[in-house]
Amino acid sequence: MYDWLIVGAGFAGSVLAERLASERNERVLLIDRRPHIGGNAYDRYDDDGLLIHQYGPHIFHTNSKQIFDHLSRFTEWRFYEHRVLAEVDGMQVPIPINLDTVNKLYGLNLTSEQLQDWFAERAEKIGEIKTSEDVVVSVVGRELYEKFFRGYTRKQWGLDPSELDKSVTSRVPTRTNRDDRYFTDEFQFMPKHGYTRMFEKMVSHPNIDIMTQTEYDDVKNVIPHRRVIYCGPIDEYFNFQFGRLPYRSLRFEHVTLDKPWHQSVGVVNFPQTHDYTRVTEYKHLTGQEHAKTALTYEYPSAEGDPYYPIPKAENQELFKKYERLALATPDVWFVGRLATYRYYNMDQIVGQALATFRRINESLPVGADTSAVKVMSSPAGLFS
């Protein structure tokens, strides 16, 4: 008899498996339908010995020392500050938009103070910021919106920014200085030996058994267990009874080139040209020294594995129906991006998992067989 059946061996499931096994001395069966652990953060060595991210670039960054310290139990780190260029009007310029972006694009020599005025002259007055388009044009105006955001967003989401919630473009800041880092978090590092090695160490506790290439439906009535932590799609758990929650998917093309380097930064975005949205060169991220270099081209898709919940009001309403079912389901905790239908960074998922563990500890004595009070993991509780 397992104390816990955990469905999904990504960040949420693996962090919880380790906590339950090591802190509560409980038996955990961790399953995943893929042939590996690590979820979308899974990395591997290709045929040429280059470390690549199977599902596109995963850059760890956080402002939470608690979360960084927790993961540091399972990995050493390599300092890495992520930088991204966007190919616009035939030039590669920094994104997020900053002072150098505007000066290079328009052949100007503005100062930071002048750039503030330059933005203000072009910004459109928007009564209430509702959409992703509103967010951008209210700050930098229509022209930069068209150059950097509209085409990229339409490729990424299959929708115009005017149809998407403001949260999509709110994630990307606009700067008036020359800071070309993509993130400004206090802790910006990559696992020194890769994500997969970190996950392997995390779930190596003798109380944890792992089954990959395993469907929840195939084991839920066969392998005895007391409780479930479900990190898969919440609509799938309830057999899509209200309909499917919409997701955007991705297709990845992995390429190895017989030369040391291909591009000057880890990621180059293509908002105006090509069917792919971005190209990643992993040696920038990993620090690996190799005569060849590995790239990934990302092609957004309407079909395939669920990656990004589509942020529209009607989709949230549909999710709320499933959330009500989840809250009424005893002895099942729904944790993670797919189970809570929300985009999270990796550190947020770790924070959500740690918060869930604290709630389990508070509501469920070790060895108890009774149903526990369950609270859905939400953004408000990420770092509680």
Side-chain angles (χ1 to χ4, degrees), residues 16 22-23 25 30 49 80 83 90 116-117 123 139 151 183 190 194 204 212 230 237 251 261 293 305 342 350 384:
L16 276 161
S22 65
E23 294 297 306
N25 195 31
L30 178 64
Y80 172 72
R83 287 171 170 82
Q116 290 181 28
D117 296 334
V139 176
F183 308 111
M190 296 291 289
S204 63
T212 55
Y230 187 82
Y237 182 89
R251 179 174 63 85
W261 295 101
T293 191
D305 290 346
R342 185 179 294 269
V350 175
S384 60

Side-chain angles (χ1 to χ4, degrees), residues 10-20 70-71 202-203 350 353-354:
F11 269 104
S14 297
V15 167
L16 276 161
E18 188 278 331
R19 291 288 79 194
L20 293 164
H70 180 78
L71 292 180
M202 190 184 301
V203 298
V350 175
L354 293 174

Side-chain angles (χ1 to χ4, degrees), residues 336-337 340 342-346 348-349 352 377-379 382:
R337 183 186 300 189
T340 56
R342 185 179 294 269
Y343 181 85
Y344 294 118
N345 291 328
M346 290 181 287
Q348 293 175 310
I349 292 291
Q352 188 189 59
S377 296
S378 64
L382 285 179

Side-chain angles (χ1 to χ4, degrees), residues 99 102-103 108-122 176:
L99 181 62
V102 173
N103 280 340
L108 301 173
N109 192 28
L110 301 176
T111 65
S112 291
E113 292 73 18
Q114 291 170 327
L115 182 57
Q116 290 181 28
D117 296 334
W118 193 89
F119 283 147
E121 291 168 3
R122 288 155 179 80
T176 57

